[in-house]
Amino acid sequence: MTGKLVKLSKEKRMEQYSENILQSVASGVLTLNQKRLITTINTAAATILNFHPTAVLGRSYTVVFGKNQKIASLLKGVLHDGNEAIRQECEIERADGKIVCLGMSTTSLRDQQNKIIGAALVFTDLTDMKRLRDQVELSKRLTTMGEMSAWIAHEFRNYMGTILGLSRLLSKNINPDHPGQAMIKTINQELSSMDRLITEILSYAKMTAVQRVPVSLDTLIADLMEQFIAAGAYPHVRWSSSFAEGLKVSADPLLMQQAISNIIQNALEAMQGEGTIHIHAMARSEEMVEIKISDSGPGISKDHLDKIFLPFFTTKEKGTGLGLPLVQKIIVSHGGRVSVESMEGTGTTFTLYLPS
Ligand SMILES: Nc1ncnc2c1ncn2[C@@H]1O[C@H](COP(=O)(O)OP(=O)(O)O)[C@@H](O)[C@H]1O
Ligand SMILES: [Mg+2]
């Protein structure tokens, strides 16, 4: 009798002990049963996922992770086939709207007969690290681009100067109505296109200092839309917008304008003059603002989707392929990120996430 009591309290002590360990580890730990209901959640997991533990115990994992395909497939793997995963990156949208990047490992939980009865998910919050990694990668790319472009600007502009000088001289030396004048005009036009390209390369590669001030997004976007409409290049395009009133971000207004303009310009070019552009801005969470720019254009093929942010990737005859890399550079240097969703034949949406 006494022995049994001692044994029980020992078990209790062990339970308490593992509970203490579980609660004090820095990684998030969450366990689920076969029905994918949450059976344990430690303090770190609750903090990362921004839930109170008692609010989620016994509820479906989708309450904390949302309808996330990657997590759904990791769970299917571990609960059905016992396939455990290590350090998988999963991006989830929390209930408060914050996008969080998790580094996740899964382990199967088994009973004494070795039957799978649940799964443990162990995860850490990689959001800040990922942002830092993106910034380091971008600045590496920019340094190489910067060196290369300084060289291009210098060398090419010298040659271009000579060509331009000679073509002007030629133009003076031949009759004004000589057929050669038209060719000289074309040479000069091509030279200005080349000069524009060089200017764009330099503006992408130059590390601009971000001058942050509080910016009212509704005014900034409304002004931009008006400028595009007033320019009148695409009179048949329909514009619409929806903003949360008084929405502000701490940003460089000129750079923000440039980023949003580049996306709008691409949308206009893709739609070839017919269709709708919708701009939507709202607070995603207390720290995050979201701007969506959607068009009803032809969309971007899956093949192209992961290349559009690479410098010089273009599908346009006169494109530079620097518009979107510049957008990305601007948004990342504000501590934000850009994502794109596109359906062929339906349209494209670019989303900018910015810290407010
Ligand atoms: N809204 C859009 N709809 C369809 N394709 C797009 C859209 N935005 C960008 N793209 C694709 O991405 C490519 C890269 O865009 P960008 O970097 O601005 O360079 P450029 O406009 O000079 O081609 C474009 O050539 C186009 O193929
Ligand atoms: Mg462009």
Side-chain angles (χ1 to χ4, degrees):
M1 180 84 180
T2 333
K4 197 170 181 202
L5 260 181
V6 170
K7 196 170 163 232
L8 267 180
S9 73
K10 215 179 196 174
E11 264 171 13
K12 197 92 200 139
R13 273 214 307 277
M14 274 309 287
E15 210 174 273
Q16 192 89 53
Y17 183 63
S18 27
E19 179 69 18
N20 281 346
I21 293 181
L22 190 65
Q23 290 307 340
S24 59
V25 289
S27 297
V29 182
L30 189 145
T31 59
L32 301 170
N33 61 18
Q34 270 291 10
K35 288 187 181 147
R36 289 157 211 221
L37 303 176
I38 300 170
T39 45
T40 0
I41 176 167
N42 74 344
T43 321
T47 312
I48 296 171
L49 300 168
N50 196 33
F51 272 102
H52 196 278
T54 52
V56 297
L57 277 175
R59 301 183 65 188
S60 160
Y61 80 98
T62 52
V63 171
V64 288
F65 293 117
K67 285 197 167 49
N68 183 297
Q69 277 193 349
K70 180 101 182 253
I71 294 180
S73 93
L74 287 180
L75 283 181
K76 188 164 178 269
V78 70
L79 288 171
H80 282 221
D81 316 317
N83 285 337
E84 301 182 341
I86 18 174
R87 287 191 289 278
Q88 296 289 312
E89 276 188 24
C90 310
E91 211 167 61
I92 62 155
E93 186 178 336
R94 285 194 333 201
D96 63 349
K98 189 173 174 194
I99 311 273
V100 176
C101 177
L102 302 176
M104 181 174 293
S105 302
T106 58
T107 318
S108 57
L109 302 174
R110 293 167 188 264
D111 64 10
Q112 278 166 343
Q113 281 74 47
N114 208 28
K115 197 174 131 242
I116 300 171
I117 51 164
L121 312 182
V122 181
F123 49 92
T124 42
D125 186 349
L126 301 178
T127 316
D128 291 338
M129 207 186 77
K130 191 157 181 269
R131 187 176 303 153
L132 215 62
R133 199 172 64 196
D134 284 353
Q135 277 174 349
V136 169
E137 209 169 277
L138 186 69
S139 81
K140 263 196 212 153
R141 213 190 294 165
L142 289 179
T143 315
T144 323
M145 276 279 296
E147 284 163 8
M148 199 179 84
S149 58
W151 177 80
I152 291 178
H154 186 71
E155 294 290 311
F156 281 27
R157 278 201 169 132
N158 280 349
Y159 293 126
M160 284 157 65
T162 313
I163 299 172
L164 191 67
L166 287 174
S167 89
R168 283 199 181 133
L169 200 64
L170 200 59
S171 166
K172 270 191 205 152
N173 281 308
I174 60 174
N175 222 312
D177 39 66
H178 189 282
Q181 293 289 6
M183 296 179 207
I184 294 174
K185 203 169 156 204
T186 312
I187 293 176
N188 293 350
Q189 277 166 355
E190 297 293 304
L191 282 175
S192 348
S193 302
M194 227 170 142
D195 198 56
R196 260 204 312 279
L197 172 61
I198 291 180
T199 311
E200 250 187 77
I201 294 175
L202 284 176
S203 90
Y204 171 67
K206 219 170 41 189
M207 270 314 264
T208 30
V210 181
Q211 310 275 356
R212 278 169 194 259
V213 288
V215 175
S216 291
L217 275 180
D218 41 1
T219 330
L220 184 133
I221 295 172
D223 286 354
L224 265 181
M225 279 169 58
E226 251 167 50
Q227 280 170 31
F228 272 101
I229 295 167
Y234 300 93
H236 303 300
V237 166
R238 288 179 303 278
W239 297 78
S240 68
S241 60
S242 49
F243 310 118
E245 237 174 79
L247 194 59
K248 284 200 168 139
V249 281
S250 160
D252 188 313
L254 285 179
L255 292 177
M256 280 320 292
Q257 264 177 8
Q258 193 167 20
I260 299 170
S261 294
N262 283 2
I263 295 177
I264 296 179
Q265 185 62 40
N266 279 341
L268 290 168
E269 286 166 3
M271 295 193 304
Q272 297 182 324
E274 291 283 340
T276 314
I277 292 190
H278 180 74
I279 306 184
H280 169 79
M282 65 173 221
R284 242 266 84 109
S285 65
E286 275 184 17
E287 314 121 50
M288 181 83 84
V289 164
E290 164 191 287
I291 306 167
K292 278 187 186 290
I293 301 132
S294 314
D295 67 58
S296 59
I300 304 172
S301 71
K302 278 210 167 62
D303 260 10
H304 289 169
L305 212 54
D306 50 358
K307 299 196 187 92
I308 56 170
F309 290 103
L310 295 176
F312 307 114
F313 175 80
T314 182
T315 53
K316 299 169 195 167
E317 205 185 321
K318 294 242 158 181
T320 61
L322 287 170
L324 290 177
L326 185 59
V327 170
Q328 196 179 41
K329 178 196 162 190
I330 293 173
I331 301 305
V332 170
S333 60
H334 278 81
R337 68 187 189 93
V338 188
S339 79
V340 55
E341 284 162 281
S342 192
M343 279 258 284
E344 276 186 277
T346 309
T348 304
T349 299
F350 282 87
T351 309
L352 312 180
Y353 299 96
L354 286 164
S356 40

